Amino acid sequence: MAPVSMLPVPSHTQQRWALLAVCLAALALPLSFSAGAVAVPALARSAASSPTALAWVTNAFMLTFGSLLLAAGGLADRYGRRRLFLLGTAGFSIATAVVCLAPTLLWLDLARGLQGVAAAAALASGTAALAHAWQGPVRARVFALLGTTFGAGLALGPLLAGLLLQALGWRSVFAAGGVLTLAAFAVGARALSESHGERGRLDVGGMLGFSLMLAALTLALLWLGEFGLHAMRVQLALLATLMLGGVFVCIERLHRSPLLDLSLFSQPAFLGVQLLPVATCFGYVVLLVVLPLQLLGVHAQSATLVGLQMLALSAPMLVLPMLAARWAERVGSTRLCTLGLLVCASGLYLLSRHASHPSPSQWVPLLMLIGGGTALPWGLMDGLSVSVVPVQRAGMAAGIFGTVRVAGEGIALAAVTALLALLIGYQLQGASPASLARAGAYLATGAHAQAQALLPAMSGAQLQQASAEALAILLRVLALLTAACAVLLHLLLRRPALAVIRTDS
């Protein structure tokens, strides 16, 4: 195995500019995710499409983003983190232009997939570059800032999307992320210094196996919401997922330089770190997509009003992650993360009690409670992700954590959307089971008009009520999952030695 490159340590000023470049990219990527979700109801009104095609507007981006982060981390270590960061940011800007010029929904979905490829390259290489450039206690603050920036992208996405949607149309919603990554490319080209990690043999089989496994699982979940579990295509997709998963595990066990070091998952601390993004996904990230679709498409609230409510959900991300890094030094990160997840679970349950009548005056305080609970672990998990391995393997560590975070978000989003569609379908009546399932899938993606066309015997108020009752059940399920994650996290990370980030690894 080749030695790690020994490059000159960049100056403090250059480090700060490099941090700015990575933060600009970190701001653009979640903004593209959350803002894109707000644009889906507008696309549903302007294009004749199936629920699956509409869901791919978000899932195509999340699928390629999540499935390629592991590969991007390994490529960054092998070929250079600066080089891959510049390729990723430039590629994202180009793919964004294709999205804005897409003549059909199919072309838009394909371009969103290309955005995810570029996003994986930019995020994995950028976080690995920061882990190389910053050492000691300051690294914890740098990664807390990165987490805050990522949260700011999620927070500002729906509000910015609502304003752009009303003023300039849906294409402008996607353009905002491309402008930010173009700025990240310009800053990074001048400030980022090149660095490498361990250069083992490239695991091409692992890359293909992992990506195909996630693709099959995502497709199965999307079809599940539209066609039900008994559909042949759903069962075949689930079978393909299991087979590809087995092939991937076999490849990783036999490869000398595996894409994913499976032995790491035998360590409780490593498992606990990977659980954090899963927990925040169930309790927070999926809401950034599910709630706007319901409020915009089903309850006909204005884009600006929905954006303000989503801002209330994500506003704590602008402040609390940085504070959490300081509080953890006194309280311990395990207690702080567990407390945050329990607060989030409480907020989800309370919100479920007001789902039938989504009034902003009732929703805003509860959304802030959910966001505040999520923001506490959010400020710690990025630093923890690179603290459990030596800095020479920072690319792989960033890739594993980023994969769990983004792939988990994509899978959870598909699963939650499918569950919501099934729950809505159970609340509907007056048509064949196939029509009810399809109408439920349409309502889950905010396509109220298409659902009304399938069920002319039901009034708009009845469709709204069915969606609201299904949403209430979904929120209770998410509250239960988040609370369970909090208990498991406490068991895995309860030792004080793991309380905060070991930045001297």
Side-chain angles (χ1 to χ4, degrees):
M1 185 171 291
V4 179
S5 59
M6 300 299 292
L7 299 172
V9 178
S11 67
H12 192 61
T13 301
Q14 187 179 0
Q15 284 180 312
R16 288 181 177 274
W17 281 105
L19 176 60
L20 175 62
V22 178
C23 284
L24 283 171
L27 182 66
L29 304 183
L31 188 149
S32 179
F33 161 66
S34 60
V38 176
V40 168
L43 289 168
R45 290 191 294 268
S46 62
S49 53
S50 67
T52 301
L54 290 170
W56 275 113
V57 174
T58 301
N59 282 285
F61 175 75
M62 298 301 295
L63 173 63
T64 52
F65 191 1
S67 65
L68 293 175
L69 269 169
L70 269 179
L75 290 172
D77 285 344
R78 183 181 179 90
Y79 295 111
R81 293 151 182 169
R82 176 184 184 273
R83 179 180 300 173
L84 203 66
F85 180 80
L86 296 180
L87 285 174
T89 50
F92 191 92
S93 300
I94 294 170
T96 300
V98 178
V99 169
C100 295
L101 298 174
T104 64
L105 190 58
L106 175 61
W107 278 101
L108 190 149
D109 287 343
L110 292 174
R112 287 284 283 168
L114 292 176
Q115 276 188 318
V117 175
L123 183 63
S125 57
T127 51
L130 292 184
H132 172 83
W134 301 84
Q135 303 296 322
V138 70
R139 190 202 286 176
R141 295 192 291 272
V142 166
F143 275 91
L145 177 61
L146 184 65
T148 301
T149 306
F150 207 88
L154 292 172
L156 297 175
L159 179 61
L160 178 62
L163 296 174
L164 291 174
L165 192 62
Q166 289 187 330
L168 300 174
W170 66 263
R171 297 178 195 272
S172 65
V173 173
F174 296 102
V179 173
L180 285 172
T181 51
L182 193 60
F185 173 85
V187 177
R190 295 181 61 88
L192 275 176
S193 58
E194 191 59 278
S195 63
H196 296 81
E198 294 181 346
R199 305 186 193 185
R201 183 182 173 187
L202 203 60
D203 184 9
V204 178
M207 294 178 186
L208 291 175
F210 187 76
S211 300
L212 291 174
M213 178 187 67
L214 280 184
L217 178 57
T218 303
L219 193 59
L221 291 171
L222 291 176
W223 280 341
L224 176 63
E226 187 172 357
F227 301 105
L229 183 60
H230 298 294
M232 180 62 69
R233 66 181 72 188
V234 176
Q235 295 174 359
L236 289 175
L238 290 173
L239 179 62
T241 301
L242 292 175
M243 293 177 63
L244 289 167
V247 170
F248 173 70
V249 170
C250 291
I251 291 174
E252 297 309 282
R253 287 183 178 276
L254 296 174
H255 204 280
R256 292 184 178 181
S257 301
L259 181 70
L260 178 61
D261 186 354
L262 297 176
S263 65
L264 291 173
F265 289 93
S266 64
Q267 304 175 16
F270 184 83
L271 275 178
V273 170
Q274 309 313 313
L275 183 63
L276 280 169
V278 175
T280 56
C281 176
F282 280 124
Y284 169 73
V285 176
V286 295
L287 300 186
L288 293 169
V289 177
V290 171
L291 295 185
L293 293 179
Q294 292 300 299
L295 296 176
L296 281 168
V298 178
H299 295 279
Q301 293 187 4
S302 69
T304 303
L305 182 59
V306 172
L308 289 172
Q309 291 178 85
M310 293 302 99
L311 181 60
L313 174 64
S314 296
M317 290 291 178
L318 303 176
V319 179
L320 288 183
M322 289 295 293
L323 295 176
R326 297 181 180 179
W327 293 341
E329 296 176 1
R330 299 190 299 269
V331 179
S333 63
T334 300
R335 293 177 180 174
L336 203 59
C337 291
T338 303
L339 174 64
L341 293 179
L342 291 176
V343 169
C344 177
S346 301
L348 287 167
Y349 174 74
L350 292 174
L351 186 66
S352 72
R353 300 179 63 179
H354 299 282
S356 298
H357 303 285
S359 168
S361 62
Q362 294 177 330
W363 274 41
V364 166
L366 299 177
L367 291 172
M368 292 186 70
L369 183 65
I370 295 170
T374 307
L376 294 179
W378 196 279
L380 302 173
M381 58 188 185
D382 285 277
L384 282 167
S385 70
V386 294
S387 71
V388 293
V389 297
V391 68
Q392 292 86 352
R393 306 191 74 188
M396 183 180 186
I400 292 173
F401 177 78
T403 298
V404 173
R405 169 188 265 176
V406 180
E409 289 171 359
I411 293 171
L413 178 59
V416 167
T417 303
L419 177 59
L420 180 59
L422 292 174
L423 291 172
I424 294 174
Y426 290 141
Q427 303 290 333
L428 300 174
Q429 56 186 354
S432 66
S435 296
L436 293 177
R438 193 169 179 83
Y442 271 126
L443 288 171
T445 56
H448 185 274
Q450 286 88 335
Q452 183 76 71
L454 282 172
L455 304 175
M458 296 191 70
S459 65
Q462 289 175 314
L463 294 179
Q464 283 185 356
Q465 185 63 26
S467 296
E469 291 175 0
L471 180 61
I473 298 173
L474 177 67
L475 290 171
R476 293 189 185 104
V477 171
L478 295 178
L480 181 61
L481 288 173
T482 305
C485 286
V487 174
L488 185 57
L489 179 72
H490 177 73
L491 295 176
L492 292 171
L493 293 179
R494 57 187 170 183
R495 287 191 298 168
L498 300 173
V500 192
I501 306 157
R502 297 196 305 266
T503 52
D504 56 346
S505 332

